[in-house]
């Protein structure tokens, strides 16, 4: 490997989003090409790219994107946290429970002091505790080095958005940081 490299030029900080309309259940999307495009558009030669999911029921991972392996990943996740198992989060008639929970709901625009609005909030809440739990396991971000203007990932590695509660409109934040001139 190379040692420390003296860099010339300005630092660049570029933020963009990748959007996906996902499918029912668990869906897995290869977003590597869009991340490569973000690095190229930013003009960063040496630095890194940080990818963060922007939802509590999605994840980001790096692995091989091969159709049968993607099916294995999906089946593995279903086994870890089956959607039909009993979860406290899914007891919508008991939510919001704490004062902090109530404040979060109010902050997000629901006047739950009105019984009709409380019921409307409960009606739109999905039974998705399993998706939250899986998101914690899959992970919420990845950071990838950039060198020579290219992602430093392995030959068979891909960056994937994993939606655990589709179908929904999903987004990933992509921040490219680094020097725009090489060594």
């Amino acid at each position: 490997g190379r040692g420390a490299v003296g860099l010339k030029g300005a630092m660049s900080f570029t933020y963009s989003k990748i959007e996906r309309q996902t499918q029912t259940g668990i869906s897995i999307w290869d977003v590597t090409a869009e991340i490569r495009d973000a690095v190229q558009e930013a003009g960063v030669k040496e630095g890194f790219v940080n990818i963060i999911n922007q939802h509590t029921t999605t994840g980001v991972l790096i692995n091989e994107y091969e159709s049968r392996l993607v099916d294995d990943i999906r089946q593995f996740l279903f086994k870890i946290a089956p959607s039909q198992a009993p979860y406290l989060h899914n007891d919508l008639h008991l939510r919001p429970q704490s004062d902090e929970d109530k404040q979060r709901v109010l902050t997000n625009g629901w006047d739950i002091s009105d019984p009709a609005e409380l019921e409307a909030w409960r009606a739109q809440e999905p039974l998705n505790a399993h998706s939250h739990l899986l998101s914690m396991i899959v992970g919420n971000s990845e950071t990838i080095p950039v060198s020579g203007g290219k992602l430093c990932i392995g030959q068979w590695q891909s960056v994937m958005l994993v939606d655990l509660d589709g179908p929904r409109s999903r987004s990933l934040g992509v921040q490219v940081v680094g020097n725009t001139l090489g060594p």
Side-chain angles (χ1 to χ4, degrees):
R2 299 187 326 184
V5 177
L7 297 176
K8 300 173 185 157
M11 289 292 289
S12 172
F13 297 83
T14 306
Y15 184 82
S16 60
K17 286 188 178 183
I18 296 172
E19 306 283 340
R20 277 289 187 287
Q21 184 59 48
T22 64
Q23 299 168 345
T24 300
I26 296 175
S27 58
I28 301 172
W29 304 85
D30 185 348
V31 294
T32 311
E34 287 112 318
I35 293 168
R36 282 191 177 114
D37 290 347
V39 169
Q40 185 176 18
E41 289 170 16
V44 166
K45 303 301 180 200
E46 302 295 328
F48 64 90
V49 58
N50 189 59
I51 303 104
I52 184 160
N53 91 61
Q54 306 201 309
H55 309 279
T56 60
T57 58
T58 60
V60 180
L61 60 84
I62 296 175
N63 208 309
E64 181 177 358
Y65 190 86
E66 184 274 328
S67 59
R68 294 181 66 81
L69 180 59
V70 167
D71 286 340
D72 287 336
I73 294 168
R74 189 178 297 108
Q75 290 174 25
F76 175 73
L77 293 171
F78 278 128
K79 288 177 186 174
I80 291 174
S83 62
Q84 299 306 315
Y87 299 103
L88 299 177
H89 178 74
N90 291 349
D91 292 335
L92 299 179
H93 65 286
L94 300 176
R95 293 179 47 209
Q97 181 176 337
S98 71
D99 289 339
E100 289 143 341
D101 294 345
K102 292 173 186 168
Q103 186 56 51
R104 280 187 204 93
V105 175
L106 288 167
T107 301
N108 281 290
W110 293 90
D111 181 9
I112 57 173
S113 63
D114 174 357
E117 189 141 351
L118 173 60
E119 287 311 309
W121 173 79
R122 286 177 175 155
Q124 61 84 43
E125 277 290 291
L127 301 178
N128 65 354
H130 66 289
S131 300
H132 290 282
L133 298 173
L134 290 172
S135 176
M136 295 182 329
I137 293 168
V138 171
N140 290 293
S141 67
E142 293 287 350
T143 300
I144 303 169
V146 173
S147 185
K150 299 193 181 308
L151 295 177
C152 296
I153 57 175
Q155 175 180 353
W156 296 102
Q157 288 183 316
S158 294
V159 183
M160 293 176 257
L161 164 64
V162 182
D163 184 7
L164 303 157
D165 194 29
R168 293 181 184 225
S169 178
R170 299 300 199 169
S171 59
L172 290 174
V174 179
Q175 186 166 42
V176 183
V177 177
N179 200 297
T180 56
L181 297 177

